[in-house]
Amino acid sequence: MARDLSPGTVSGVCHGTLGELYQGPLRAGTEPEIAVVSFPVDRHSWVYFTPGAVTGPPRTPALGEKSATAARLFLDHYGLTLPPGDWHTHSELPVGVGMASSTADIVATLRCLFRVFSLPYDTDVLLGVLADIERADSVFLDEFALYLSGRHRVVRRLGPDIGFHTAYVTEPGTVDTAAVTPLLLDHYRRRGEEYQRCLTDLLKGFVSGDPAAVARAATTSAALSQEVLPKATFGSLQAHRERFGADGVFVAHTGCLAGYLFASRPRAEVKSELSAFFRSLGHQCTFAQGGYG
């Protein structure tokens, strides 16, 4: 299949996440599935392709292993051959901490390829590629969603109207999501009813456009996560939440992030106090916009 290539450098971009506002079972039961409401963040992964003759010996694509696999699957699906050219990448998303870095890299790569070949963007093709590579977050959407990460299925779209200001830290270490999945599923079986109430409250908050209600449910989800994948800073965050006027606490449930949710932007003096507080816990604080509203 022949396609005219877009002239010059082409880019694909995808945002990452600050973990999840909810991670747990979709419904209480003996065979739970991992459902997530990812928490988008204004931090991104970029992938660039510049068509043109490449001089010198053949180069290894400047893509990670999963992104290179995604490119191969894309080309196979459409029966295309990538022309000579150069890949370049850039990311603001640390690896292995819960910011959906690898999924964002894959989505950015595929978005770049759709543009390289002037093909209409097809979410079904993207989901098919993701399903062949990894459990994923819903970073390919521009709205919140209740999403089955293993089955790559959007259960319910929740809209783009909720947003938060955040202050968060990255704790040391990384989490192997695949390795901890059996632990999570056992935990979901034990605490299915609590998760069900939490998810119901979260969805009600989205329906009513109430960020404070969403933040309360996110805090409950984070607290439940403490029982299986604890964050060292969570207890201190909970204890001092009211002091800083935060609406809730969020975590990367299978990552290393923990922080505060604010429906309104914290004042400069509050940011200074937050920074000092997190420093007292041994961490550098980061501020970022989360969500869409």
Side-chain angles (χ1 to χ4, degrees):
M1 174 166 42
R3 286 285 188 273
D4 292 331
L5 297 180
S6 301
T9 298
V10 178
S11 176
V13 184
C14 184
H15 66 260
T17 71
L18 290 178
E20 303 81 22
L21 297 177
Y22 174 84
Q23 180 172 307
L26 178 61
R27 57 184 63 87
T30 57
E31 295 298 329
E33 295 183 71
I34 297 178
V36 299
V37 177
S38 294
F39 184 27
V41 64
D42 192 20
R43 299 287 189 271
H44 297 83
S45 172
W46 289 263
V47 173
Y48 303 96
F49 184 76
T50 305
V54 179
T55 59
R59 304 177 189 175
T60 300
L63 297 174
E65 180 181 349
K66 291 181 179 180
S67 294
T69 299
R72 176 181 56 78
L73 292 171
F74 177 96
L75 295 170
D76 289 348
H77 175 83
Y78 286 106
L80 294 166
T81 299
L82 189 70
D86 282 323
W87 290 103
H88 296 280
T89 64
H90 178 74
S91 181
E92 299 173 315
L93 307 171
V95 175
V97 301
M99 296 187 76
S101 60
S102 65
T103 305
D105 290 347
I106 291 168
V107 173
T109 299
L110 296 175
R111 285 176 171 170
C112 183
L113 285 167
F114 279 117
R115 294 174 64 84
V116 165
F117 291 100
S118 300
L119 290 166
Y121 183 66
D122 190 329
T123 302
D124 289 337
V125 171
L126 185 148
L127 286 173
V129 171
L130 280 173
D132 284 342
I133 298 174
E134 67 175 8
R135 181 183 295 275
D137 298 87
S138 57
V139 292
F140 56 89
L141 297 175
D142 286 324
E143 63 178 314
F144 286 103
L146 178 61
Y147 184 69
L148 291 177
S149 61
R151 293 173 58 185
H152 301 274
R153 181 165 71 87
V154 177
V155 177
R156 181 171 174 178
R157 292 174 180 262
L158 301 175
D161 297 332
I162 297 286
F164 294 101
H165 301 272
T166 73
Y168 70 92
V169 297
T170 304
E171 297 183 1
T174 60
V175 175
D176 183 338
T177 304
V180 302
T181 295
L183 297 175
L184 291 174
L185 295 178
D186 286 344
H187 174 59
Y188 297 163
R189 292 184 187 96
R190 293 192 303 269
R191 303 301 297 271
E193 292 184 2
E194 290 93 335
Y195 273 108
Q196 193 64 52
R197 288 193 293 269
C198 174
L199 180 57
T200 297
D201 291 342
L202 184 84
L203 297 178
K204 286 180 179 177
F206 275 106
V207 169
S208 62
D210 184 350
V214 171
R216 287 193 298 271
T219 305
T220 299
S221 183
L224 285 165
S225 176
Q226 280 294 103
E227 298 177 17
V228 62
L229 289 172
K231 307 294 181 289
T233 56
F234 182 81
S236 295
L237 289 173
Q238 273 281 63
H240 293 271
R241 183 186 62 79
E242 292 186 3
R243 166 189 166 193
F244 295 114
D247 294 281
V249 177
F250 73 94
V251 299
H253 291 66
T254 50
C256 307
L257 305 176
Y260 284 127
L261 299 165
F262 296 89
S264 300
R265 181 186 297 274
R267 301 186 312 276
E269 56 268 32
V270 175
K271 286 186 174 182
S272 295
E273 293 173 5
L274 282 164
S275 298
F277 167 67
F278 282 121
R279 175 55 62 183
S280 74
L281 299 178
H283 301 287
Q284 173 60 47
C285 175
T286 298
F287 300 105
Q289 182 76 29
Y292 303 98

